[in-house]
């Protein structure tokens, strides 16, 4: 007989009921301690979603005034074709000084 596991088993229902009882108890004993964080988080969300006009104006002026900084003069900006960009250095092998005879076979 195979038993199909659903979303809600006995432990899930028990934890959910205890959670609801705890939330209701905290609301009845200290309503300000429960409502105040919800109001603050709601205000932060609304300010993020719908910013005030003075913040919108600051954001738009910052985006419209983009400045381009010219780093080099026009004669120095031309690439030099006669010289390669980097030197090609061949790799060389450095012989190790570790002696394998000192090491035991099994360690």
């Amino acid at each position: 007989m195979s038993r199909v596991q659903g979303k809600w088993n006995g432990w899930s229902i028990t934890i959910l009921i205890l959670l609801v009882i705890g939330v209701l108890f905290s609301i009845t004993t200290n309503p300000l301690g429960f409502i105040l964080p919800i109001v603050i988080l709601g205000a932060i969300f609304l300010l993020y979603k719908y910013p005030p006009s003075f913040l919108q104006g600051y954001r738009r002026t910052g985006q419209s005034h983009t400045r381009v900084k010219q780093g080099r003069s026009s004669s120095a900006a031309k690439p030099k074709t006669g010289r390669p960009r980097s030197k090609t250095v061949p790799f060389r092998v450095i012989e190790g000084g570790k002696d394998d005879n000192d090491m035991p076979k099994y360690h």
Side-chain angles (χ1 to χ4, degrees):
M1 194 155 106
S2 72
R3 184 173 144 180
V4 178
Q5 292 288 333
K7 281 185 175 182
W8 301 100
N9 57 14
W11 288 107
S12 300
I13 293 171
T14 305
I15 291 174
L16 184 67
I17 290 172
L18 289 174
L19 181 73
V20 169
I21 290 171
V23 168
L24 291 175
F25 182 76
S26 68
I27 288 173
T28 57
T29 58
N30 189 8
L32 187 63
F34 189 76
I35 295 173
L36 189 63
I38 292 175
V39 169
I40 290 173
L41 290 175
I44 290 172
F45 175 74
L46 286 176
L47 285 173
Y48 178 73
K49 191 73 174 168
Y50 307 106
S53 61
F54 67 91
L55 289 179
Q56 286 179 348
Y58 177 72
R59 223 191 258 170
R60 288 185 185 143
T61 57
Q63 289 177 353
S64 64
H65 296 294
T66 57
R67 295 181 183 176
V68 177
K69 183 178 178 184
Q70 191 172 15
R72 299 180 181 180
S73 65
S74 61
S75 64
K78 295 179 184 177
K80 298 178 182 177
T81 57
R83 196 174 91 194
R85 293 185 114 183
S86 65
K87 294 181 180 180
T88 56
V89 179
F91 293 105
R92 60 183 183 153
V93 177
I94 301 173
E95 295 295 329
K98 190 174 185 181
D99 192 14
D100 290 334
N101 295 332
D102 293 342
M103 294 288 289
K105 284 186 175 182
Y106 304 105
H107 52 275

